[in-house]
Amino acid sequence: MTRLLNADRATFNYPEQGATARLPLPAGYNHLRHRTRIGSGRAAFEAAAAAVTTLQAHRASGMRVRCSHGAVRPGTRVVVGIGFGPLRIDAPCRVVWTAYEPTRTGFAYGTVSGHPERGEESFLVHRDPDGTVWFEVTAFSRPARWYTRLAGPVVPFLQRCYAAHLGRTLRRLAAAA
């Protein structure tokens, strides 16, 4: 069952909380949809789902992640360190919704004040009826800071690269489990 956060919207820096749980994505943002085949079978699904919902996949991809809970749930605060060395920027988020279902597991977090972007990103693991396991990243975002506005089309390009990298990392984690 998908659980949406029912909380004070003032903590978020964008008005469309939960929009990655439904389509179409809101207008006025850059949109991202990326899908990666992870493997096949229940074991691959369960390993990938656990890696996504505990943020192990994010950490294994090289991101620095701080999280207020173990497995994510609505309201969980997450801070992702983006960049390298002295150029690392903290990107604070809050989990908007989660899905813990027999064939679909994942979550979405939304940006909060202090994040360089405005928007939301979801990370879902799906298991098809034939057993194929997929990882899908869906996002909408736009600049919230002068430096992300200045970067222009570089930010969406880097987001797509990271989504693909995260998919490859998750495939490796699921295969090792």
Side-chain angles (χ1 to χ4, degrees):
M1 173 161 74
T2 300
R3 291 189 49 210
L4 289 173
L5 175 66
N6 185 13
D8 178 14
R9 291 177 181 238
T11 61
F12 294 97
N13 66 0
Y14 68 103
E16 301 92 352
Q17 289 88 45
T20 55
R22 58 192 178 274
L23 294 175
L25 295 174
Y29 292 88
N30 295 308
H31 294 171
L32 167 67
R33 301 236 0 173
H34 183 81
R35 193 170 188 205
T36 304
R37 186 180 186 283
I38 299 302
S40 185
R42 184 167 204 61
F45 172 77
E46 289 175 358
V52 166
T53 58
T54 62
L55 300 167
Q56 177 191 10
H58 281 69
R59 289 182 181 98
S61 74
M63 291 299 211
R64 183 181 65 196
V65 179
R66 295 190 312 268
C67 182
S68 63
H69 297 98
V72 295
R73 59 182 187 229
T76 299
R77 295 186 185 279
V78 178
V79 178
V80 179
I82 300 169
F84 302 97
L87 300 177
R88 188 173 299 268
I89 298 168
D90 281 343
C93 302
R94 189 166 175 200
V95 174
V96 178
W97 60 262
T98 59
Y100 289 94
E101 300 168 8
T103 61
R104 188 176 86 111
T105 299
F107 72 97
Y109 53 42
T111 59
V112 298
S113 183
H115 195 290
E117 292 279 305
R118 296 180 193 279
E120 190 171 293
E121 192 166 20
S122 70
F123 308 91
L124 278 172
V125 178
H126 300 268
R127 185 164 54 106
D128 287 345
D130 70 357
T132 304
V133 178
W134 297 93
F135 173 62
E136 187 172 287
V137 177
T138 302
F140 61 93
S141 64
R142 64 180 173 223
R145 301 276 191 201
W146 67 267
Y147 52 86
T148 49
R149 281 190 293 277
L150 184 65
V154 172
V155 174
F157 171 76
L158 293 174
Q159 288 171 328
R160 289 186 193 293
C161 290
Y162 180 67
H165 175 64
L166 191 59
R168 289 188 302 273
T169 301
L170 189 58
R171 183 185 306 127
R172 181 178 44 82
L173 290 172

